[in-house]
Amino acid sequence: MKEYFPNTGKIEYSGDRFKKGPCFRQYNAGQTVGGKTMEEHLKFSMAFWHTMGYGGSDPFGADTMVRPWQNGSSPMKIAEEKVYAAFEIMQKLGIRYFCFHDRDIAPEGNTLAETNKNLDSIVKIIKKMMSDTGIRLLWGTANLFTNPRFMHGAATSCNADVFAYAAAQVKKAMEVTTELGGAGYVFWGGREGYETLLNTDMQLELDNMAFFLQMAADYAKEIGFEGQLLIEPKPKEPTKHQYDFDVASALAFLKSYGLERDFKFNIESNHATLAGHTFQHDLRFARINEMLGSVDANQGDMLLGWDTDQFPTDIYSTTFCMLEILEMGGFKKGGLNFDAKVRRASYRPDDIFYAHIAGMDSFAKGLKAAWKIMEDGVLKDFISKKYESYSRGIGKKISGKETDFKSLEKYALGPGTIDNPSGRQEYLESILNEYIFTAE
Ligand code: XUL
Ligand code: CO
């Protein structure tokens, strides 16, 4: 088989932290952390759209990426070569999962039937590569945003023909995901939102989106899909206001339509920060509601207001993320999908490897720090002490819901004085630093 990256070998862990070139300095797949290997904890996944599809263009300039599969003789030939190159990348990095949109892996034809045929022939090749390598599908999804037909949205389009087309596309994408044994299926509301309420029937759009998701959940059962259905919130971009704004509002939407049992969340760091939250906030909100399914691992730029999809290198963020994952007992059907792209000027083929290494090392360090924090119970102990007033006296009555306004007023009017504990944020931040510095 043709080798697409002959100058890059298998990426190995190096005990030497200052070794130059492509190697892991923190991620040691087989090293155990709390009884599980790093590979089992982290479940890294490669995103087909960015790694195989991003050409480097931006609103001001053309593609920059040099990609060894781009000279194929036809769109289908290129699609085939992309699969082989993708599996080479994953094997060399030791990444065991991948994710794709239907249109990332095969080009559209002139009709939906032709498009489905293209998809089927590439899926066949992917299936063979999966069985040859043991690499698995983390999740599949449908691209309901690139083609101009989706200008008004897909499930929220004003045009019923587009709604029907989107349903047909998701039906097929779910079948393909099932055939490839996907652990999940993602719904990111690509253009499910609006630019202005002057031309928008919000009630109709939300009702239609809920019905669409209901049909998808029904169809998943019908075809025996055993994976997890996931909603991926994002507040803005491409539309000014996206309906699945953040975890809290998307959960409220699911609950008001009785859909919350069929879905969990795929939480993306850069989407959470665009919503004005920390990544940890959305992870926490999902976790405490038992809705945390999977993660799109990337990071944004705090100085920019759009989705920059950078590879995650912020160790604080990876540590907080892994704390939430560990607190929920690890991923069940989810993983860490690098929904991230190299910068436009990181255009050489080997930058793909450097970028993934940066992300994998950052999460490995975060995992090690998070495990130690959890094992030592430093945050947990502090927090339970901070709230200990609810374990005795009047607090116990409040947490047991055995009181009312009248009794609380009587208590407050009594002789006692209020003595608050300190939040000690700065102390905790310095402790956190030490865990990160020393995690091994
Ligand atoms: C877009 C985004 C998507 C989803 C899948 O911001 O994150 O790539 O992850 O459609
Ligand atoms: Co994403």
Side-chain angles (χ1 to χ4, degrees):
M1 190 175 278
K2 177 174 167 187
E3 197 178 3
Y4 291 85
F5 303 89
N7 300 325
T8 306
K10 175 113 180 64
I11 310 296
E12 307 285 359
Y13 171 71
S14 166
D16 174 3
R17 288 285 155 76
F18 298 100
K19 189 174 167 195
K20 300 244 170 22
C23 62
F24 296 118
R25 297 172 188 84
Q26 295 287 338
Y27 180 63
N28 186 2
Q31 182 184 329
T32 56
V33 177
K36 249 162 75 172
T37 65
M38 284 194 170
E39 183 177 281
E40 287 163 335
H41 275 292
L42 296 165
K43 293 178 71 186
F44 290 126
S45 153
M46 188 205 79
F48 222 91
W49 52 101
H50 285 314
T51 298
M52 310 313 294
Y54 177 55
S57 65
D58 70 8
F60 301 94
D63 283 350
T64 55
M65 298 295 152
V66 174
R67 295 294 180 248
W69 56 85
Q70 72 202 153
N71 298 321
S73 52
S74 69
M76 279 301 279
K77 196 75 201 127
I78 292 175
E80 190 179 335
E81 290 208 44
K82 265 190 200 166
V83 174
Y84 299 134
F87 277 82
E88 185 182 328
I89 293 168
M90 289 187 277
Q91 279 180 290
K92 286 188 168 170
L93 282 163
I95 288 182
R96 311 295 302 150
Y97 295 86
F98 66 106
C99 296
F100 65 81
H101 300 83
D102 47 4
R103 305 299 174 251
D104 303 333
I105 58 170
E108 289 201 54
N110 291 321
T111 61
L112 182 58
E114 214 177 276
T115 303
N116 287 347
K117 217 170 123 211
N118 288 350
L119 196 55
D120 285 335
S121 51
I122 300 296
V123 163
K124 222 160 135 191
I125 299 168
I126 292 181
K127 201 170 178 183
K128 166 91 172 61
M129 292 303 290
M130 286 171 70
S131 98
D132 287 354
T133 60
I135 288 171
R136 288 147 69 185
L137 177 62
L138 189 66
W139 49 261
T141 188
N143 176 332
L144 305 176
F145 44 90
T146 300
N147 193 292
R149 74 174 65 87
F150 299 118
M151 64 174 71
H152 295 296
T156 62
S157 175
C158 54
N159 186 344
D161 286 347
V162 175
F163 184 101
Y165 194 101
Q169 201 179 316
V170 168
K171 174 179 175 290
K172 179 71 182 171
M174 290 177 89
E175 288 162 5
V176 160
T177 301
T178 305
E179 167 153 15
L180 295 176
Y185 183 91
V186 161
F187 295 86
W188 168 57
R191 289 185 188 274
E192 314 296 29
Y194 63 82
E195 292 301 321
T196 170
L197 288 174
L198 291 173
N199 63 13
T200 303
D201 185 338
M202 186 192 270
Q203 175 87 64
L204 183 145
E205 292 198 2
L206 290 173
D207 286 351
N208 277 0
M209 190 161 89
F211 178 50
F212 193 96
L213 292 173
Q214 181 65 65
M215 287 193 292
D218 292 345
Y219 193 63
K221 286 188 193 109
E222 193 180 325
I223 61 175
F225 175 62
E226 286 172 3
Q228 176 64 53
L229 301 180
L230 297 152
I231 304 278
E232 184 178 321
K234 183 177 183 180
K236 50 194 167 191
E237 203 203 69
T239 69
K240 187 175 83 172
H241 181 99
Q242 300 270 128
Y243 289 129
D244 294 333
F245 192 90
D246 60 3
V247 171
S249 55
L251 181 56
F253 166 82
L254 291 175
K255 283 191 173 172
S256 64
Y257 287 95
L259 290 164
E260 73 275 17
R261 266 178 289 279
D262 290 312
F263 295 86
K264 285 190 192 293
F265 289 104
N266 180 42
I267 297 170
E268 178 163 328
S269 172
N270 204 169
H271 295 180
T273 52
L274 284 178
H277 303 309
T278 59
F279 181 25
Q280 190 190 15
H281 170 95
D282 260 16
L283 293 165
R284 175 73 60 89
F285 199 90
R287 177 171 70 76
I288 63 176
N289 283 286
E290 293 177 18
M291 295 293 281
L292 176 46
S294 199
V295 167
D296 268 7
N298 64 10
Q299 70 186 29
D301 186 315
M302 290 307 168
L303 300 181
L304 303 175
W306 63 91
D307 196 13
T308 58
D309 283 338
Q310 291 165 233
F311 274 84
T313 53
D314 178 338
I315 310 283
Y316 290 97
S317 179
T318 60
T319 302
F320 285 137
C321 174
M322 291 317 298
L323 264 172
E324 299 303 325
I325 303 302
L326 292 174
E327 284 290 348
M328 77 160 184
F331 288 118
K332 312 277 175 318
K333 295 183 175 178
L336 293 170
N337 172 49
F338 288 119
D339 192 349
K341 56 182 185 247
V342 291
R343 298 304 85 192
R344 187 166 186 265
S346 304
Y347 70 98
R348 295 207 168 142
D350 58 356
D351 284 306
I352 291 175
F353 293 93
Y354 285 115
H356 282 87
I357 290 168
M360 293 163 83
D361 272 344
S362 302
F363 266 96
K365 184 75 171 174
L367 166 66
K368 290 184 277 191
W371 176 262
K372 193 86 179 88
I373 290 168
M374 215 178 74
E375 198 187 27
D376 291 358
V378 272
L379 296 181
K380 233 186 189 127
D381 291 351
F382 183 89
I383 290 170
S384 71
K385 212 162 167 356
K386 184 172 168 226
Y387 293 86
E388 73 181 353
S389 71
Y390 288 96
S391 59
R392 55 178 148 76
I394 193 72
K396 202 164 176 194
K397 285 197 175 139
I398 295 171
S399 46
K401 298 184 178 56
E402 290 158 359
T403 187
D404 55 27
F405 267 18
K406 274 195 246 167
S407 328
L408 291 170
E409 182 193 44
K410 198 166 157 216
Y411 178 83
L413 288 169
T417 50
I418 289 178
D419 180 24
N420 268 316
S422 168
R424 297 223 194 284
Q425 180 173 333
E426 299 76 6
Y427 163 73
L428 293 172
E429 284 168 349
S430 70
I431 293 283
L432 170 67
N433 280 347
E434 288 309 319
Y435 276 92
I436 291 175
F437 296 154
T438 56
E440 274 312 320

